[in-house]
Amino acid sequence: MERVMVFFGLHDEEGQAGGYTDSDAEETHPRQRKNVVSLHAAQKQVRVMLAEPRSYDEVQNIADYLKNNRTTVVSLQRLPQDEATKVIDFLSGTVYALNGNISKLSPVTIICSPANVDIQGSISELISDEVNDLLR
């Protein structure tokens, strides 16, 4: 048991409990350094896609981003209101099928996220009632 505690640096070699530092581990246990794994290397890079469709025909590309588990911010400012409504309807269905989320960021900007991304908070109080009707 004492060898295990020495291995983890909880006791020094004489069996006394002592302060443990990284430099002590390098001096007394050089082989322990080989077992260190960086958690940052295991993380996958997260990408957020930005989309500004100019017609309803581009909505399928945005849905493909969501299918590939990419959060997407969509600006609807270049679309007529009727096409913007269709885009929101299509993306709402896509997000629903993927168990994701869709939220308003501004009167003409939405964010769509897959199930593995949690979006918290709300800024809908800042949006006028007229625009809320479009994004409902």
Side-chain angles (χ1 to χ4, degrees), residues 16-32:
Q16 299 172 347
Y20 173 73
T21 63
D22 290 335
S23 61
D24 292 340
E26 290 176 12
E27 292 171 8
T28 58
H29 304 291
R31 63 187 168 105
Q32 183 180 12

Side-chain angles (χ1 to χ4, degrees), residues 6-81:
V6 169
F7 179 78
F8 286 112
L10 299 174
H11 284 91
D12 57 9
E13 301 233 354
E14 290 81 35
Q16 299 172 347
Y20 173 73
T21 63
D22 290 335
S23 61
D24 292 340
E26 290 176 12
E27 292 171 8
T28 58
H29 304 291
R31 63 187 168 105
Q32 183 180 12
R33 201 69 175 144
K34 295 178 186 174
N35 294 332
V36 175
V37 178
S38 173
L39 294 177
H40 297 290
Q43 290 180 348
K44 184 178 175 182
Q45 185 177 6
V46 177
R47 291 187 181 181
V48 176
M49 303 303 292
L50 302 176
E52 190 174 44
R54 295 184 181 178
S55 71
Y56 177 75
D57 298 334
E58 297 176 36
V59 74
Q60 189 170 1
N61 294 334
I62 300 168
D64 290 339
Y65 295 148
L66 292 168
K67 284 177 23 182
N68 291 325
N69 287 326
R70 297 228 169 105
T71 300
T72 306
V73 176
V74 183
S75 173
L76 304 169
Q77 68 185 1
R78 295 187 181 249
L79 290 173
Q81 187 167 354

Side-chain angles (χ1 to χ4, degrees), residues 54-127:
R54 295 184 181 178
S55 71
Y56 177 75
D57 298 334
E58 297 176 36
V59 74
Q60 189 170 1
N61 294 334
I62 300 168
D64 290 339
Y65 295 148
L66 292 168
K67 284 177 23 182
N68 291 325
N69 287 326
R70 297 228 169 105
T71 300
T72 306
V73 176
V74 183
S75 173
L76 304 169
Q77 68 185 1
R78 295 187 181 249
L79 290 173
Q81 187 167 354
D82 61 329
E83 285 190 29
T85 303
K86 290 179 186 178
V87 167
I88 291 170
D89 289 344
F90 188 92
L91 292 177
S92 295
T94 302
V95 166
Y96 176 78
L98 298 173
N99 293 322
N101 295 307
I102 187 168
S103 299
K104 298 179 275 187
L105 296 179
S106 76
V108 292
T109 307
I110 59 173
I111 185 167
C112 303
S113 62
N116 63 339
V117 176
D118 184 32
I119 298 175
Q120 296 179 348
S122 175
I123 56 173
S124 62
E125 301 85 36
L126 303 175
I127 300 174

